[in-house]
Amino acid sequence: MTAATQTYTVIGLTLDVDSTELLIAAVLAGPVADQVELLATSEEDFTRWAEEFDAPDPDTAAELAYTHCRTFGSAPNAGEYLHQVLEDEDVEATAGGHPGSGCYWVSIGTPDGGEILISGQGRHEAEAYYPLTEHAG
């Protein structure tokens, strides 16, 4: 006989270096992730997180959350995804990151020798640098 499942909302913090480490603060019964207000954290290295999981009990929901972060936290970040899309479209770009920092950058040369640089760290910081003095179009 299979145990009945219900929806649990897991709330915690992810470590921004690679978002694969989850620190769980609570597991609540019910699909309430949309109702949970994630306040800003004072820690620069963490992102507050809430996700819903169907499980027979809170402990299993927590284990599903850990597995989810280990599996999907190491998925390509936005910079890696952008670099792949540019490469697929034959747009020459360079990219890289700073190991262990969670930072990633993509640089695209302009026809007149300028540069468009997009960088970011984690899921909440991003900047684009494009010198307007080098804009030719």
Side-chain angles (χ1 to χ4, degrees):
M1 188 164 103
T2 306
T5 63
Q6 74 174 62
T7 301
Y8 292 93
T9 300
V10 180
I11 302 169
L13 296 171
T14 58
L15 184 62
D16 283 343
V17 171
D18 60 5
S19 298
T20 61
E21 185 173 344
L22 174 65
L23 306 173
I24 293 179
V27 178
L28 306 174
V32 294
D34 291 340
Q35 300 169 28
V36 173
E37 185 173 341
L38 298 175
L39 304 175
T41 177
S42 61
E43 300 290 330
E44 291 182 13
D45 298 330
F46 295 96
T47 297
R48 292 183 187 247
W49 182 88
E51 187 93 21
E52 295 170 1
F53 297 93
D54 291 329
D57 56 68
D59 289 335
T60 303
E63 186 55 41
L64 289 170
Y66 287 129
T67 301
H68 174 81
C69 285
R70 281 191 301 269
T71 304
F72 295 102
S74 59
N77 64 33
E80 291 166 328
Y81 181 73
L82 173 61
H83 187 238
Q84 184 62 51
V85 168
L86 292 170
E87 187 176 274
D88 291 347
E89 295 297 320
D90 295 324
V91 175
E92 189 172 328
T94 56
H98 303 288
S101 73
C103 183
Y104 197 84
W105 55 265
V106 176
S107 176
I108 306 158
T110 61
D112 61 355
E115 175 184 43
I116 300 170
L117 178 65
I118 303 166
S119 67
Q121 183 169 352
R123 288 175 279 176
H124 48 77
E125 292 181 21
E127 67 178 86
Y129 171 71
Y130 177 68
L132 295 179
T133 57
E134 296 182 14
H135 182 68

